[in-house]
Amino acid sequence: MTAGRVTTGNIRVLVADDQEIVRTGLTMILNAQEGIEVVGQAADGRAAVELAQRLRPDVTLLDIRMPDVDGIEATRLLAGPGVADPLAVVVITTFDLDEYVYAALRAGARGFLLKDAGPALLAQAVEAAASGDALIAPSVTTRLLRAFADTGPRDLPAQPLDPLTAREEEVLLAVAVGRTNTEIARELFVTLSTVKSHVANMMTKLRARNRVEVALWAYDTGRLRPVRPTREP
């Protein structure tokens, strides 16, 4: 495992993946983003946990399939319910499997991305985790919503602490269908900082911990209906 220099003011990130070429690629992508700096790398989960506990990065980026200690267990050790001073963790994987998503979120992850997400979404996930928010890959959010809808009726959802404003309702629907903050800003003709403020306020009112919970609330309240895939003839 390796540690890098620390630059005050940047979001400090630890990257953990058992493939050196992936670690190097993620590090290059993140270091190229303004305000983000990789301060350490680890090749397995145990080393990632030890390095994260020592460096206390703002965000730890964990692959799921790693030797010794996998990414889910490493997430639990760094951010789980029993951790006194949890760290922000984003899980990133090649494997688009629902059980990984559920396990990562239950373990305390603040984000879940696929490795083909691209630099912009990767940077947004890191920034969201560092600020206490959560970002989950839009394709994953949509699929989880569809799967959840198939489970049948549920109890009435809890109402927000305060009513959502008209703009927050717009942001709610955009988040629920998997739009990123950048996409929402472009669609609503507002600044990115304005979108972040609306998302934070809306999630606080809904008591939502991540974007999947926002999507589920939108579905439960009749604001959104999941789009089901068209069957081939």
Side-chain angles (χ1 to χ4, degrees), residues 169-182:
E169 289 279 0
E170 292 181 302
V171 173
L172 166 73
L173 293 179
V175 169
V177 297
R179 297 286 193 273
T180 65
N181 287 349
T182 299

Side-chain angles (χ1 to χ4, degrees), residues 110-129:
R110 287 189 188 170
F112 187 99
L113 293 179
L114 303 179
K115 289 182 180 178
D116 62 359
L121 195 58
L122 177 62
Q124 286 185 38
V126 167
E127 291 167 354

Side-chain angles (χ1 to χ4, degrees), residues 16-75:
D17 194 291
D18 61 336
Q19 298 183 40
E20 183 176 1
I21 190 170
V22 175
R23 290 197 310 276
T24 300
L26 290 172
T27 297
M28 291 178 62
I29 290 172
L30 290 171
N31 280 337
Q33 308 300 313
E34 183 178 358
I36 299 177
E37 182 177 13
V38 174
V39 296
Q41 298 181 38
D44 63 73
R46 188 173 302 281
V49 171
E50 293 174 355
L51 192 57
Q53 290 173 337
R54 177 161 60 87
L55 293 179
R56 305 293 301 177
D58 299 305
V59 179
T60 299
L61 193 64
L62 295 175
D63 182 29
I64 282 186
R65 290 192 173 182
M66 292 188 292
D68 200 2
V69 173
D70 66 22
I72 300 299
E73 180 60 22
T75 298

Side-chain angles (χ1 to χ4, degrees), residues 154-159 220:
R154 302 179 64 224
D155 295 334
L156 291 176
Q159 294 304 303
D220 283 345

